[in-house]
Amino acid sequence: MKNVALFGAGRIGRIHASNLAALPGVKLKYVSDPMEGPARELAQQLGAEVASVEAIFADKSVDAVAICSSTTTHSDLILRAAAAGKNIFCEKPVDLSVQRAKACADAVKAAGVACMIGFQRRFDPTFNEASRRLAAGEIGKPEMLVITSRDPGAPPVDYIKASGGVFRDMLIHDFDVFRWILCADGDEAAWISATGSVLTEPALEGLDFDSAAVTIRTRRGRICQIGASRRAAYGYDQRFEVLGSEGLLQCANQTPTNVVQWNGSGIHTDKPEHFFLQRYAAAYKLEITHFFDCLQSGQPFRTTVADGVAAQMLADAATESARTGQPVAF
Amino acid sequence: MKNVALFGAGRIGRIHASNLAALPGVKLKYVSDPMEGPARELAQQLGAEVASVEAIFADKSVDAVAICSSTTTHSDLILRAAAAGKNIFCEKPVDLSVQRAKACADAVKAAGVACMIGFQRRFDPTFNEASRRLAAGEIGKPEMLVITSRDPGAPPVDYIKASGGVFRDMLIHDFDVFRWILCADGDEAAWISATGSVLTEPALEGLDFDSAAVTIRTRRGRICQIGASRRAAYGYDQRFEVLGSEGLLQCANQTPTNVVQWNGSGIHTDKPEHFFLQRYAAAYKLEITHFFDCLQSGQPFRTTVADGVAAQMLADAATESARTGQPVAF
Amino acid sequence: MKNVALFGAGRIGRIHASNLAALPGVKLKYVSDPMEGPARELAQQLGAEVASVEAIFADKSVDAVAICSSTTTHSDLILRAAAAGKNIFCEKPVDLSVQRAKACADAVKAAGVACMIGFQRRFDPTFNEASRRLAAGEIGKPEMLVITSRDPGAPPVDYIKASGGVFRDMLIHDFDVFRWILCADGDEAAWISATGSVLTEPALEGLDFDSAAVTIRTRRGRICQIGASRRAAYGYDQRFEVLGSEGLLQCANQTPTNVVQWNGSGIHTDKPEHFFLQRYAAAYKLEITHFFDCLQSGQPFRTTVADGVAAQMLADAATESARTGQPVAF
Amino acid sequence: MKNVALFGAGRIGRIHASNLAALPGVKLKYVSDPMEGPARELAQQLGAEVASVEAIFADKSVDAVAICSSTTTHSDLILRAAAAGKNIFCEKPVDLSVQRAKACADAVKAAGVACMIGFQRRFDPTFNEASRRLAAGEIGKPEMLVITSRDPGAPPVDYIKASGGVFRDMLIHDFDVFRWILCADGDEAAWISATGSVLTEPALEGLDFDSAAVTIRTRRGRICQIGASRRAAYGYDQRFEVLGSEGLLQCANQTPTNVVQWNGSGIHTDKPEHFFLQRYAAAYKLEITHFFDCLQSGQPFRTTVADGVAAQMLADAATESARTGQPVAF
């Protein structure tokens, strides 16, 4: 039985908590959150105890920690967990600073603990199947990747101010998808160009972008295009398509139902799942299962702290490119 | 906390057991099965005890039973559960004999216990949403219903011999869908015509049909067409479409993923989910949740023993019609 | 150069006239219609002359006639054309009376002229490709066929009164599709059951049906289901799907464009093409081309007068079955 | 009756010739081509005469010319046609040199003749309907446009060498689509960044790109992404989607038929139409009809020589950006 402590009893923390609590051989022992109310409620619901950060790291019986607290606490908790010899599951991002993210990677390595970063898209059944079939050679060698990444609506301006900007907060997932899909054989980003606009959230003017486009060229000449928006009127739009030498693999959105209505104004189907909690519900379960399966088997994680650092570097470069209007070469 | 006893530790029993065991406020107390091995294994896995039928009905702490044993045992267990004052969840069918099914309905009524029949299609998210939108008037009044019901492959001949035939074993679900969709406002079947053939399973010649077509006309003149096959090369095909005065509602199949492959030979998407365990995984969860929610709230079930009897009567009439080549009027 | 005379300057006559006038090697010489105005207008537009029936049959230079006049004139014109040694293209049906249709078939045979019946569905690119792929063995042997046949709205009651009823007027096409798809290898209808209702056109009560369902079983046990309605709120719905031992071939509707709109209420695509003139525009061209190609090459037509007779016999049987509530065996 | 002379009896010339010859009120009088054989064959087939360039411009009865000859001849023929007072339909591009293209625009204006450039995508029924619905406000204001432009295979290297490169030869259409869709209200490109690779045609190394990505930002901050490839294994892929403040309009590919096959390996539909002659068959007809309709009515063309110049400027900028790795600002 693996004892686990959870940091962060917010939205994503609750998802991971209930998923891991349902796994055989895993026990959610502690919940920790600066806000006592949510921590107590979640702990009670899942038969865990509320504990302080210190108490958790001091408890030798804790095998692993799940870091689902706010972004600014990630790197500190990773460093302390590594020092305490705990295995780590950490929500993206490692840290908004590439330097601190790298320090985390170093610490994890030095401590010899396992550290997985929660890039849940890699566990989405549709995305994952596309990746598997690409790796199996179904469309030959990959050439171009087009990622569509649109949210149903922007978060509050205060959140955005602290988020590191759209490339670090939102496109970080897409940078990881780029690396997963186009760079699986050792290829790497060589050139990145990004641009952004304020089209949907006037309050962001001068602060950030709500609409963004990124192009990445790899060393082998493969090309990735990412188009992103903080607000799509029809909801959460998460697609990608990869063109290969022998065909195309395309990932369509997931819908709540398969009902089709035909009437005088046309033929109508469901919008995509509302937002990430719905779209990635299966992915969150598969992701945390993967974490504990790997701890058990000793197999490497599919998404490591190095992946977190690499995605962060792309986000930094995109941020700079969009600011200056000039591409960045690696 | 509701204590529940499960009869039948086979494929469908295991599904219901693990779903109900995960519900808050529900405890799987007993598992009973003529085969000791599967009963023990399932009980152990879910923290329940193995018990005899007698012991279960004698235990006053048992609130409800889930009857997932073989079809031939259903009516006997319903009668005994009613006599013992237990609430009942029973897999379809009530009984292959309409007479015995009616006796069950009478006994349940007399005993004042609740009895739900497991017509899982009514809980499928797609089918259920279509029903909801039909009831909400989205396509006006219903006129015609077309149901497609194809299995990936036929069960063993021995199973078929004891099954009551394709109309009672397989189309029983479709007869319930007909009643659910076309008769929700009190309409009823007035005329039924069925025909069948042996096209895919030569061993069934003279015993049963593997391919069947049914037409039902209701008192108000609505028309339902059901087409069924024991074997579709592409898997499990479960669709229906209902034409209304203002449009059509169509339920498409569900697929494992939304990956689309484009290559020199065309554009390719997933087959439907393999079979009922996959296609109706969500439905099984929602169905058993509904059972306990209704026990808790006192609300009526969506599928009662009367629905079970009514579907059985249609199956009987279809069987006779296909045998004689003549329609049956009600 | 083949000289052609057209009987009937109505809607369908004008379609065939302009299609055949555009064919190389074909000259529309005469147009004949009881209504002088439309005849003159059409003749003028296409460089033809208006002529009487008598004059047309007397002109030795006329190679072929296209009979697009009202249904009641078909058999008489066929007989006269055969007597005059003209090759014949005739719109469906041959005649509302099977007996008279057979007489036409006999006369055509005796005269040694070629006679093609205009079952345009066999020339629809989608339907035709499905037929070709079925014949090529792509889904093994055919087992079941489901045809959906819905019109956007009913014709005037006066038209319907003279039409022979829904089975002879509307489903005649679907009976031909049944024979084309399920009986291509010599199989034949053995049993037919039909039922109908008045659900959309109250004025038809006692006269005809607006909603109908037909089931046909062939000698080899194959099963065909046809569902038809005179009025679908979303337009013209023309689909079929054939289940074979190794898969399914499905013909979807055709739409005016491939625009997809996504918004807050769902994802929206075009309705099917409005009605037969739009949906079968390509088919009408291919059909008349086929007629003249066969005249040129001496190859047999894809749809002969015998096909017209056979479809008419099914329509008669369906009409009787729906009237009596009893199936008809052949 | 408008008399028309055609320059160029190649593939695209033959398309336009047969389309315009079928228009009422239009007569194809002359065909001119440096290769006598094709000119003669085409002229004969359509009842026209072969003539020299000089003779055509000298004939006062010629109202309009259709320039479908090789790209290098376009600007010269436009200048001569303008000087001779002929109305002009010219295939894209105006000229590979923006300077010469502008000279053509000036000459056309000075001569007071009408000049339409053949950007056929604007006449594609699907694209055109999307444009119409965007203009009608169906998805609010446009924000982002994503264009997919993939050919089934690259032309010969010799063609490519003379083509001006992938941006001028192939993406010229996509630059026009960008202007049509995102700039209809007077917006304009402000910033463009392009990159390219040689991934599918090794012989192009150092000469041109076969894979390219372009990002354009407009003055109002709208963003367009274009992804292009000279070779897609599945054929000709011509899609775009435009995100607006209230939804998305998406243009899917067109397929030869609507047959769907289901079997053990999945569900299969047609590939897109093979290449531009098939995909844009309807567009070519509508385009040339538009040309003569406008000549008749005096209405302005939908695609003018100014549009040709503007697209050429974007192609030039993209070419430079891809060469230098730096964006170009306007």
Side-chain angles (χ1 to χ4, degrees):
Chain A
M1 182 67 68
K2 301 265 184 221
N3 288 310
V4 184
L6 175 83
F7 297 109
R11 193 163 51 169
I12 194 69
R14 288 197 299 271
I15 293 284
H16 288 308
S18 69
N19 282 335
L20 69 85
L23 291 177
V26 176
K27 182 175 163 42
L28 179 64
K29 189 163 184 183
Y30 298 121
V31 173
S32 178
D33 195 291
M35 314 243 302
E36 235 189 84
R40 186 150 305 162
E41 190 185 345
L42 182 60
Q44 210 155 16
Q45 185 190 317
L46 296 169
E49 298 166 47
V50 170
S52 69
V53 176
E54 291 71 25
I56 286 168
F57 286 128
D59 184 342
K60 298 285 185 217
S61 78
V62 171
D63 296 284
V65 297
I67 303 175
C68 305
S69 45
S70 67
T71 293
T72 51
T73 66
H74 287 190
S75 58
D76 181 54
L77 287 169
I78 289 175
L79 294 173
R80 291 173 71 178
K86 312 296 188 199
N87 293 308
I88 303 161
F89 174 87
C90 182
E91 260 303 308
K92 68 93 206 168
V94 181
D95 194 280
L96 291 177
S97 145
V98 167
Q99 202 182 337
R100 273 200 303 272
K102 281 181 174 168
C104 287
D106 292 345
V108 160
K109 196 173 179 183
V113 296
C115 179
M116 173 172 165
I117 301 300
F119 285 122
Q120 91 284 55
R121 278 158 180 73
R122 295 207 192 192
F123 297 89
D124 175 72
T126 290
F127 287 176
N128 191 44
E129 176 69 359
S131 161
R132 189 193 66 72
R133 290 166 63 174
L134 176 65
E138 280 199 14
I139 57 160
K141 294 194 177 160
E143 295 166 359
M144 299 187 76
L145 172 67
V146 181
I147 303 176
T148 302
S149 186
R150 298 174 187 142
D151 281 358
V157 172
D158 281 351
Y159 171 92
I160 286 179
K161 278 181 183 165
S163 74
V166 71
F167 299 105
R168 291 189 187 95
D169 180 56
M170 185 177 162
L171 279 83
I172 186 84
H173 284 293
D174 306 301
F175 293 128
D176 184 60
V177 169
F178 152 70
R179 293 187 60 252
W180 179 38
I181 297 298
L182 279 198
C183 303
D185 57 357
D187 201 359
E188 278 184 49
W191 178 95
I192 187 169
S193 171
T195 192
S197 294
V198 175
L199 296 171
T200 72
E201 314 298 320
L204 295 186
E205 198 63 69
L207 283 178
D208 195 6
F209 308 111
D210 50 42
S211 306
V214 178
T215 306
I216 308 172
R217 208 181 58 243
T218 70
R219 293 187 182 175
R220 298 183 195 169
R222 294 169 190 161
I223 296 173
C224 170
Q225 292 176 291
I226 306 170
S229 171
R230 285 284 194 188
R231 187 203 64 191
Y234 54 87
Y236 193 47
D237 193 353
Q238 298 276 300
R239 290 172 284 155
F240 70 73
E241 64 178 57
V242 53
L243 177 69
S245 51
E246 296 166 24
L248 180 81
L249 283 166
Q250 198 181 38
C251 297
N253 282 308
Q254 187 178 317
T255 54
T257 78
N258 296 306
V259 175
V260 187
Q261 184 182 4
W262 306 34
N263 63 21
S265 69
I267 296 184
H268 318 282
T269 56
D270 281 10
K271 289 187 296 182
E273 293 278 8
H274 175 61
F275 206 2
F276 64 97
L277 294 182
Q278 292 79 29
R279 163 64 191 261
Y280 293 116
Y284 286 124
K285 277 188 199 171
L286 292 165
E287 171 182 73
I288 206 78
T289 303
H290 174 75
F291 176 70
F292 288 104
D293 282 355
C294 289
L295 285 192
Q296 191 65 31
S297 68
Q299 293 291 310
F301 296 127
R302 218 184 284 174
T303 52
T304 64
V305 67
D307 292 313
V309 171
Q312 207 64 35
M313 290 175 69
L314 289 166
D316 270 21
T319 304
E320 184 192 332
S321 173
R323 191 180 51 78
T324 62
Q326 297 298 318
V328 172
F330 296 98
Chain B
M1 183 66 68
K2 301 263 183 225
N3 288 311
V4 185
L6 174 84
F7 296 109
R11 196 164 50 170
I12 194 69
R14 289 197 299 271
I15 294 283
H16 287 307
S18 68
N19 283 334
L20 70 85
L23 291 176
V26 176
K27 181 172 164 44
L28 178 65
K29 189 162 183 184
Y30 298 121
V31 173
S32 178
D33 195 292
M35 314 242 303
E36 235 190 84
R40 187 150 301 161
E41 191 185 344
L42 182 60
Q44 209 156 18
Q45 187 191 314
L46 296 169
E49 296 166 49
V50 171
S52 69
V53 176
E54 292 70 26
I56 286 168
F57 286 129
D59 184 340
K60 298 285 184 214
S61 78
V62 170
D63 296 283
V65 297
I67 303 175
C68 304
S69 44
S70 66
T71 293
T72 51
T73 66
H74 286 190
S75 57
D76 181 55
L77 288 170
I78 290 175
L79 294 174
R80 292 173 72 177
K86 311 300 187 195
N87 293 307
I88 302 161
F89 173 89
C90 183
E91 260 302 309
K92 67 92 204 167
V94 181
D95 194 281
L96 291 178
S97 146
V98 167
Q99 202 183 336
R100 273 199 303 273
K102 282 181 175 169
C104 288
D106 293 343
V108 160
K109 197 175 180 183
V113 296
C115 180
M116 172 172 167
I117 302 300
F119 285 121
Q120 91 284 53
R121 276 158 181 72
R122 295 208 194 192
F123 297 88
D124 175 71
T126 290
F127 287 175
N128 191 44
E129 176 70 0
S131 162
R132 190 193 67 71
R133 290 167 63 175
L134 175 66
E138 281 199 14
I139 57 162
K141 295 194 177 159
E143 296 166 358
M144 298 186 77
L145 172 66
V146 182
I147 304 176
T148 302
S149 186
R150 297 175 187 141
D151 281 359
V157 172
D158 281 350
Y159 171 92
I160 285 179
K161 279 181 184 165
S163 73
V166 72
F167 298 104
R168 291 191 188 94
D169 180 56
M170 185 177 162
L171 281 83
I172 186 83
H173 284 293
D174 306 301
F175 293 126
D176 184 60
V177 169
F178 153 71
R179 294 186 59 252
W180 179 37
I181 297 299
L182 279 198
C183 303
D185 57 358
D187 200 1
E188 278 184 51
W191 177 95
I192 186 169
S193 171
T195 192
S197 295
V198 175
L199 295 171
T200 71
E201 314 298 318
L204 294 187
E205 198 63 68
L207 283 179
D208 194 7
F209 307 111
D210 50 42
S211 305
V214 178
T215 306
I216 308 172
R217 209 183 56 242
T218 71
R219 293 187 182 175
R220 298 183 194 168
R222 294 169 190 161
I223 296 173
C224 171
Q225 293 175 289
I226 307 171
S229 171
R230 285 282 193 188
R231 187 203 64 192
Y234 55 85
Y236 194 47
D237 192 351
Q238 299 276 299
R239 292 173 281 154
F240 71 74
E241 64 179 54
V242 53
L243 177 69
S245 51
E246 295 166 27
L248 179 82
L249 283 167
Q250 196 181 40
C251 297
N253 283 307
Q254 187 178 316
T255 54
T257 79
N258 297 304
V259 174
V260 187
Q261 184 182 6
W262 307 31
N263 62 23
S265 68
I267 296 184
H268 317 284
T269 56
D270 280 10
K271 288 187 297 182
E273 293 279 8
H274 175 60
F275 206 1
F276 66 97
L277 294 181
Q278 292 79 31
R279 163 62 191 263
Y280 293 115
Y284 286 122
K285 278 188 199 171
L286 293 164
E287 170 181 70
I288 207 76
T289 304
H290 175 74
F291 176 70
F292 288 103
D293 283 355
C294 289
L295 286 191
Q296 191 66 32
S297 69
Q299 293 290 311
F301 297 127
R302 217 184 285 174
T303 51
T304 64
V305 67
D307 293 313
V309 172
Q312 206 66 32
M313 290 175 70
L314 290 166
D316 270 20
T319 304
E320 185 193 331
S321 174
R323 193 179 50 78
T324 63
Q326 298 298 319
V328 172
F330 296 99
Chain C
M1 183 65 69
K2 302 265 184 220
N3 289 311
V4 185
L6 175 83
F7 297 109
R11 196 164 49 169
I12 194 68
R14 289 197 298 272
I15 294 284
H16 288 307
S18 68
N19 284 334
L20 70 85
L23 292 176
V26 176
K27 180 173 165 44
L28 179 64
K29 188 162 183 185
Y30 298 121
V31 173
S32 179
D33 194 291
M35 314 241 304
E36 234 188 87
R40 186 151 303 162
E41 190 184 345
L42 183 60
Q44 209 156 18
Q45 186 191 315
L46 297 169
E49 297 166 47
V50 171
S52 69
V53 176
E54 292 70 26
I56 287 169
F57 286 128
D59 185 339
K60 299 283 184 216
S61 79
V62 170
D63 297 283
V65 297
I67 304 174
C68 306
S69 44
S70 67
T71 292
T72 50
T73 66
H74 287 189
S75 57
D76 181 55
L77 289 169
I78 290 175
L79 294 173
R80 293 173 70 176
K86 311 299 187 196
N87 293 307
I88 304 162
F89 173 88
C90 182
E91 260 303 309
K92 67 90 204 169
V94 181
D95 194 280
L96 290 178
S97 145
V98 167
Q99 202 182 336
R100 274 200 303 273
K102 281 180 175 170
C104 288
D106 292 344
V108 160
K109 197 174 178 184
V113 296
C115 179
M116 173 173 166
I117 302 300
F119 286 122
Q120 92 284 54
R121 277 156 179 74
R122 296 209 192 191
F123 297 88
D124 175 72
T126 291
F127 287 175
N128 191 43
E129 176 69 1
S131 162
R132 190 194 64 72
R133 289 166 64 175
L134 175 66
E138 281 200 14
I139 58 162
K141 292 191 178 161
E143 295 165 0
M144 299 185 76
L145 172 67
V146 182
I147 303 176
T148 301
S149 185
R150 298 175 186 140
D151 281 359
V157 172
D158 281 350
Y159 171 92
I160 286 179
K161 278 182 184 165
S163 74
V166 72
F167 298 105
R168 290 189 189 94
D169 181 54
M170 185 179 163
L171 280 83
I172 187 83
H173 285 293
D174 306 300
F175 293 126
D176 184 60
V177 169
F178 152 72
R179 294 186 62 252
W180 179 37
I181 298 299
L182 279 198
C183 304
D185 56 359
D187 201 358
E188 279 185 48
W191 178 95
I192 187 169
S193 170
T195 193
S197 294
V198 175
L199 295 172
T200 72
E201 313 298 321
L204 294 187
E205 197 66 66
L207 283 179
D208 195 5
F209 308 111
D210 51 42
S211 305
V214 178
T215 307
I216 308 172
R217 207 181 59 243
T218 71
R219 295 189 180 174
R220 297 182 194 170
R222 294 169 190 161
I223 296 172
C224 170
Q225 292 175 290
I226 306 170
S229 171
R230 283 284 193 188
R231 187 204 64 193
Y234 54 86
Y236 193 48
D237 193 351
Q238 299 276 301
R239 292 171 280 155
F240 71 73
E241 64 179 52
V242 53
L243 176 68
S245 51
E246 295 167 26
L248 180 82
L249 283 167
Q250 196 180 40
C251 298
N253 282 308
Q254 187 178 317
T255 54
T257 79
N258 296 304
V259 175
V260 188
Q261 184 183 5
W262 307 31
N263 63 22
S265 69
I267 296 184
H268 317 283
T269 56
D270 281 10
K271 289 188 295 182
E273 292 280 7
H274 175 60
F275 207 2
F276 65 98
L277 294 181
Q278 292 79 32
R279 163 63 191 261
Y280 293 115
Y284 286 123
K285 278 188 199 169
L286 293 165
E287 173 182 69
I288 207 77
T289 304
H290 174 76
F291 176 72
F292 288 104
D293 282 354
C294 290
L295 286 192
Q296 191 66 33
S297 68
Q299 292 290 310
F301 296 127
R302 218 185 283 175
T303 51
T304 65
V305 68
D307 293 313
V309 171
Q312 207 65 32
M313 290 176 70
L314 289 166
D316 270 21
T319 303
E320 185 194 331
S321 173
R323 191 178 52 76
T324 62
Q326 298 298 318
V328 172
F330 298 99
Chain D
M1 183 66 68
K2 301 267 184 218
N3 289 310
V4 185
L6 174 84
F7 297 109
R11 195 164 51 170
I12 195 68
R14 287 196 300 269
I15 294 283
H16 289 307
S18 67
N19 284 334
L20 71 83
L23 292 176
V26 176
K27 182 173 163 42
L28 179 64
K29 188 162 185 186
Y30 298 122
V31 173
S32 178
D33 194 289
M35 314 240 304
E36 235 189 84
R40 185 149 305 161
E41 190 185 346
L42 183 60
Q44 209 156 17
Q45 185 191 318
L46 296 169
E49 298 166 47
V50 171
S52 70
V53 176
E54 292 69 28
I56 286 168
F57 287 128
D59 184 340
K60 296 285 184 215
S61 77
V62 170
D63 296 281
V65 297
I67 304 175
C68 306
S69 45
S70 67
T71 293
T72 50
T73 66
H74 288 189
S75 57
D76 181 55
L77 288 170
I78 290 174
L79 294 173
R80 292 172 70 177
K86 311 297 187 199
N87 293 307
I88 303 161
F89 172 88
C90 183
E91 261 302 308
K92 67 93 205 167
V94 182
D95 194 281
L96 292 177
S97 145
V98 167
Q99 203 182 335
R100 274 199 305 270
K102 283 181 173 167
C104 288
D106 293 343
V108 161
K109 196 174 180 184
V113 296
C115 180
M116 173 174 166
I117 302 300
F119 285 121
Q120 92 283 57
R121 278 157 180 74
R122 296 207 192 193
F123 297 89
D124 175 72
T126 291
F127 287 175
N128 191 44
E129 175 69 0
S131 161
R132 190 195 63 74
R133 290 167 62 175
L134 176 66
E138 281 199 16
I139 58 161
K141 293 192 178 161
E143 295 167 359
M144 299 185 76
L145 172 67
V146 181
I147 304 176
T148 302
S149 186
R150 297 174 187 141
D151 281 359
V157 172
D158 281 351
Y159 172 93
I160 286 179
K161 277 182 184 165
S163 73
V166 72
F167 298 105
R168 290 188 188 96
D169 179 55
M170 184 177 162
L171 280 83
I172 187 83
H173 284 293
D174 306 300
F175 293 127
D176 183 60
V177 169
F178 152 72
R179 293 186 60 253
W180 179 37
I181 298 297
L182 279 196
C183 303
D185 57 358
D187 200 0
E188 279 185 48
W191 178 96
I192 187 170
S193 171
T195 191
S197 294
V198 175
L199 295 172
T200 71
E201 313 300 318
L204 296 186
E205 199 64 68
L207 282 179
D208 194 5
F209 306 111
D210 51 43
S211 306
V214 177
T215 306
I216 308 172
R217 207 181 58 244
T218 71
R219 293 188 181 174
R220 299 181 194 171
R222 294 168 192 162
I223 297 172
C224 170
Q225 292 176 290
I226 306 170
S229 171
R230 284 284 194 188
R231 187 205 63 192
Y234 54 87
Y236 193 47
D237 193 352
Q238 298 277 300
R239 290 173 283 156
F240 70 73
E241 64 178 54
V242 54
L243 177 69
S245 51
E246 295 166 27
L248 180 82
L249 283 167
Q250 196 180 40
C251 297
N253 282 309
Q254 186 177 318
T255 54
T257 79
N258 296 305
V259 175
V260 187
Q261 184 183 5
W262 307 32
N263 62 23
S265 69
I267 295 183
H268 318 283
T269 56
D270 280 11
K271 290 187 294 183
E273 292 279 8
H274 175 61
F275 205 1
F276 65 97
L277 294 182
Q278 292 79 30
R279 163 64 191 260
Y280 293 116
Y284 286 123
K285 276 188 200 171
L286 293 165
E287 171 181 72
I288 207 77
T289 303
H290 174 76
F291 175 72
F292 288 104
D293 283 353
C294 289
L295 286 192
Q296 191 67 30
S297 68
Q299 293 291 310
F301 297 127
R302 216 183 285 175
T303 51
T304 65
V305 68
D307 293 312
V309 172
Q312 207 65 33
M313 289 176 72
L314 289 166
D316 270 21
T319 304
E320 184 192 333
S321 174
R323 192 181 49 78
T324 62
Q326 298 298 317
V328 172
F330 297 99

